[in-house]
Amino acid sequence: MILTARTGQKNMEGHLWEAPWDQPIYNLIGARIPRYDDLPLGVNGTVTSGGKSYSWGIWGAILEPNDGTDVLATYADQFYKGKAAAIEHQLGKGTVTYIGVDTNDGKLEHDLLYRLYKSVGTAPANLAPDFLVDWRDGFWVATNFTSEPQIIPAGANINLLLGKRQVPPGGFAVWEE
């Protein structure tokens, strides 16, 4: 399971919990989230992971992992330097990855997801940033917000319901496998 920043802040009715911040997911992620930060416009912080640095400024949850929870990324500056920004918690037969920081370009999130997919033997698609592919109610939906045609990431044996394999700029495709 992969969770990102601000997961668990509100209940099913969209109301904030009458409990510590994100408390309903603490056991799931294997950590506490005692505070968060969002930096002033034009001020950026740095997060490091796997020897790379990533810039952030909009949202950063400061994570306090439990024993046995692995730290995937840490803050490199500000008053929370050295604190966890992304973690992975072993739970049952799988893991729960929590990415508590929203980087400016999404590259940390991309790199962590790529690492996770590869670790479970899944070949992640390398799509253009504005070519969106979603799974919705049993169907794959691709929407091309780029200026170039994009190929849907699907095998040969699909049932293409709408659109074409090569999605034109501004176009979409829907298929099932």
Side-chain angles (χ1 to χ4, degrees):
M1 175 181 285
I2 302 163
L3 303 173
T4 57
R6 301 175 75 175
T7 297
Q9 286 185 352
K10 297 179 182 179
N11 66 19
M12 295 294 286
E13 289 80 37
H15 302 140
L16 294 171
W17 300 100
E18 291 187 31
W21 197 257
D22 297 314
Q23 185 180 19
I25 65 169
Y26 284 4
N27 291 335
L28 186 64
I29 66 172
R32 289 183 51 241
I33 307 172
R35 61 189 175 281
Y36 69 92
D37 200 4
D38 54 342
L39 301 176
L41 186 63
V43 175
N44 290 303
T46 304
V47 172
T48 59
S49 178
K52 293 182 181 179
S53 293
Y54 305 87
S55 181
W56 76 278
I58 296 172
W59 190 269
I62 290 73
L63 307 174
E64 291 181 354
N66 299 339
D67 290 340
T69 298
D70 296 325
V71 175
L72 304 177
T74 57
Y75 293 98
D77 51 18
Q78 311 296 337
F79 73 93
Y80 30 80
K81 181 179 180 178
K83 297 284 187 185
I87 54 177
E88 184 175 74
H89 176 62
Q90 195 75 32
L91 189 66
K93 295 180 181 180
T95 60
V96 177
T97 299
Y98 184 81
I99 304 170
V101 65
D102 184 16
T103 60
N104 294 341
D105 58 9
K107 289 189 180 188
L108 170 70
E109 297 88 283
H110 175 272
D111 289 352
L112 291 176
L113 290 175
Y114 189 86
R115 174 193 155 281
L116 179 64
Y117 290 154
K118 291 206 46 124
S119 75
V120 296
T122 300
N126 193 17
L127 305 175
D130 292 324
F131 182 55
L132 307 180
V133 178
D134 295 305
W135 174 258
R136 303 243 172 129
D137 299 321
F139 301 98
W140 287 100
V141 179
T143 309
N144 187 2
F145 293 102
T146 75
S147 299
E148 302 293 327
Q150 303 292 321
I151 304 295
I152 62 172
N157 298 326
I158 65 164
N159 181 17
L160 188 62
L161 302 170
L162 294 169
K164 298 179 181 179
R165 283 185 171 273
Q166 182 169 313
V167 182
F172 68 93
V174 178
W175 71 96
E176 57 185 356
E177 291 190 72

